[in-house]
Amino acid sequence: MLTQVAEGVLVHQSELLLNNTVVVQGRAGMLVIDAGITGEEMACLANDLRELGQPVVAGFSTHPDWDHVLWDAALGDAPRYGTARCAALMRDLRLNGDWKARVVGGLPPEIAEDTPLDLFGLITGLPAGTAQIPWAGPEVRIIEHPAHSPGHAALVIVERGVVVAGDMLSDVFVPMLDDFTSTNDPVKEYLVGLRMLERVADEADAVIPGHGSIGRAGQVRARIELDRAYVHALRDSREPSDPRIGPAAKPGWEWVSDIHAGQAQSVARRSERDGHPG
């Protein structure tokens, strides 16, 4: 089930949402990024890792969405890191007595009973401004940015030329904006995140999105531009020409058009509220 992307960088992909779990081999153990998503898949991942002959020595969650903060006891009890904001959001969630019911309510129904939640969201926040993941392995640089969700981070596996993009640069999902509140601007935040990814594009021989297929060197900038064009279309109240929605969508992923429709409505409402009708 593990696919090699670069030397010492492997990917395990889930079935339902094409979530990509990234494994980085170090000198004395492995770093697991965004473990997921069902119990059966994580048992398979743990078995594959045992066959590699190294323990899991660290984990990292790129952001606080439910499918990126999962873990299973079969993976061991290594420290699991995330940005300070990611960890704080998870800590606040778990302080609610009904947190597990809230999480289950947001899961796809077909996997709700097979998604392990006991270790959900147990993230150690790294101090603000931390430049890289603290572990004994290849340098993994942290690029925290405001796109998609609070506490989101992309990772650059420097020696391997791999960018782990979190929930960005997907070939199946259009850019998914953060929730609109009274104080934020998810459109501008997403564009900031894309600019930050653009700064490391030339370092990347491969990009691994949170969902979908791996993009190789020639595709990294193309994916950035596709995401930017989509966000610009939302901002400007235009219908985007995007292969991830409408008749060109990947079979089985036609429902992504519903995500787009909801986002277009949210952006339009914000524009009307701010006195800038599209």
Side-chain angles (χ1 to χ4, degrees), residues 61-86:
S61 290
T62 58
H63 61 289
D65 285 355
W66 70 266
D67 52 333
H68 296 265
V69 293
L70 295 167
W71 197 258
D72 189 85
L75 297 172
D77 59 357
R80 297 158 54 195
Y81 301 112
T83 65
R85 195 168 186 193
C86 174

Side-chain angles (χ1 to χ4, degrees), residues 158-211:
V158 178
E159 299 168 31
R160 306 293 183 251
V162 175
V163 171
V164 181
D167 270 356
M168 299 176 73
L169 309 188
S170 172
D171 61 335
V172 290
F173 276 123
V174 293
M176 292 177 286
L177 305 182
D178 190 12
D179 294 334
F180 283 80
T181 71
S182 60
T183 59
N184 70 343
D185 187 332
V187 170
K188 288 183 179 179
E189 290 168 350
Y190 211 99
L191 293 173
V192 168
L194 288 173
R195 286 196 296 273
M196 295 180 73
L197 288 174
E198 195 168 36
R199 292 172 190 164
V200 299
D202 291 339
E203 301 178 40
D205 295 319
V207 60
I208 305 173
H211 305 264

Side-chain angles (χ1 to χ4, degrees), residues 120-135:
F120 178 92
L122 296 176
I123 308 298
T124 297
L126 295 172
T130 299
Q132 61 188 65
I133 295 176
W135 80 302

Side-chain angles (χ1 to χ4, degrees), residues 66-67 70 102-113 115 117 120:
W66 70 266
D67 52 333
L70 295 167
R102 293 188 188 188
V103 173
V104 170
L107 298 177
E110 56 267 54
I111 65 167
E113 294 184 359
T115 301
L117 296 180
F120 178 92

